[in-house]
Amino acid sequence: MNFTKSDEDYQSKIIGEFFVYFDMAISVIPFGIPKIIYKRNYTELEKRNIQTLLSGMVASSLKISFDSLLADNYKELPELIKINDNLSKSLDKITEIRNSFAHGSYRIGWKDFDGNMDKDFFSLRHSKATKKGYEKRSGIYKISQVENLINELRTMQKSYLLIFTIISLKNQNQDFNMYMDILRETLKSIGKLDFKPLLEEK
């Protein structure tokens, strides 16, 4: 058995960090929405009013609201809207993975479905009842796949912050081309989100 207590602690830490970085990527969005709506310096009351309207929104509805507001208010920046659309699609995929962790179950260290253990692997199950019957949806993954997702989430958070900077500069009639260049380069580092199981339970 290639699995120790420190291996268990490490896997728990990485899975916990995945949740933290997901929340960090999503949590910056409410701070950008007032910039879109007001296009000026806004009061604390106006900011609180917007945040009150946004409170209680789950990640998907918050992101959809942001996407819609950006598209409606910045039609003159089609490249920014396209970049945000690509960012949004990538975040959708990670949201599905996050929901599998949050609403499913995982077994740290499982290398296969016979209970053999290894420091590099874990099992994740997010079963579902469908019209065609029960889907087991259980797989074996590498912990490095979760580490890659964390890196993607860091890049996504940085991308949203760059979008908000561009919006702020646009609203103030200032040049934002340098930040568009940085945003283009940043988005290039978002790879293909590959979170497919290495082994599936039949």
Side-chain angles (χ1 to χ4, degrees):
M1 179 184 293
N2 181 22
F3 196 71
T4 65
K5 179 65 168 63
S6 62
D7 296 329
E8 179 183 347
D9 291 344
Y10 180 75
Q11 285 204 6
S12 298
K13 172 179 170 288
I14 291 299
I15 292 170
E17 284 184 3
F18 171 64
F19 280 98
V20 169
Y21 279 99
F22 178 85
D23 287 343
M24 286 173 64
I26 292 294
S27 67
V28 298
I29 294 176
F31 294 98
I33 288 178
K35 296 177 187 295
I36 297 175
I37 292 174
Y38 293 114
K39 297 185 176 63
R40 56 170 168 78
N41 291 330
Y42 43 83
T43 67
E44 278 300 310
L45 178 58
E46 288 171 329
K47 180 181 175 182
R48 282 201 306 275
N49 286 340
I50 294 297
Q51 291 177 341
T52 297
L53 293 172
L54 299 176
S55 66
M57 280 192 180
V58 297
S60 57
S61 56
L62 184 61
K63 186 181 63 59
I64 289 168
S65 295
F66 172 76
D67 294 346
S68 180
L69 286 166
L70 187 71
D72 279 341
N73 286 272
Y74 294 93
K75 295 182 188 297
E76 70 275 24
L77 299 176
E79 184 182 8
L80 183 66
I81 294 170
K82 183 178 178 181
I83 286 173
N84 179 68
D85 185 54
N86 292 334
L87 178 61
S88 181
K89 288 174 182 174
S90 294
L91 190 54
D92 280 341
K93 293 176 183 175
I94 291 192
T95 301
E96 290 176 16
I97 297 166
R98 181 261 179 202
N99 290 342
S100 291
F101 277 95
H103 305 299
S105 59
Y106 44 92
R107 294 170 290 195
I108 288 173
W110 278 46
K111 181 181 181 180
D112 54 38
F113 298 108
D114 296 321
N116 293 307
M117 307 291 282
D118 189 286
K119 65 184 179 66
D120 295 325
F121 298 89
F122 69 97
S123 166
L124 175 64
R125 171 181 285 180
H126 187 201
S127 302
K128 187 176 182 181
T130 71
K131 293 178 181 179
K132 296 181 180 179
Y134 180 74
E135 288 183 8
K136 195 173 285 187
R137 292 168 55 175
S138 186
I140 301 294
Y141 298 82
K142 293 195 80 170
I143 197 68
S144 60
Q145 291 173 272
V146 184
E147 292 170 331
N148 290 336
L149 292 175
I150 291 170
N151 289 331
E152 300 288 347
L153 286 166
R154 287 190 183 114
T155 302
M156 289 177 184
Q157 182 187 22
K158 180 181 178 182
S159 299
Y160 277 118
L161 293 173
L162 284 166
I163 289 172
F164 301 152
T165 300
I166 292 165
I167 288 170
S168 294
L169 292 171
K170 168 69 176 171
N171 292 346
Q172 298 167 34
N173 295 315
Q174 295 185 33
D175 182 56
F176 53 82
N177 288 316
M178 179 182 76
Y179 293 97
M180 279 295 292
D181 291 339
I182 296 171
L183 181 60
R184 286 187 204 101
E185 289 303 310
T186 301
L187 263 294
K188 285 180 183 178
S189 66
I190 294 182
K192 183 180 179 183
L193 293 172
D194 182 20
F195 196 71
K196 294 180 181 177
L198 306 172
L199 180 67
E200 292 184 272
E201 189 173 21
K202 302 301 182 184

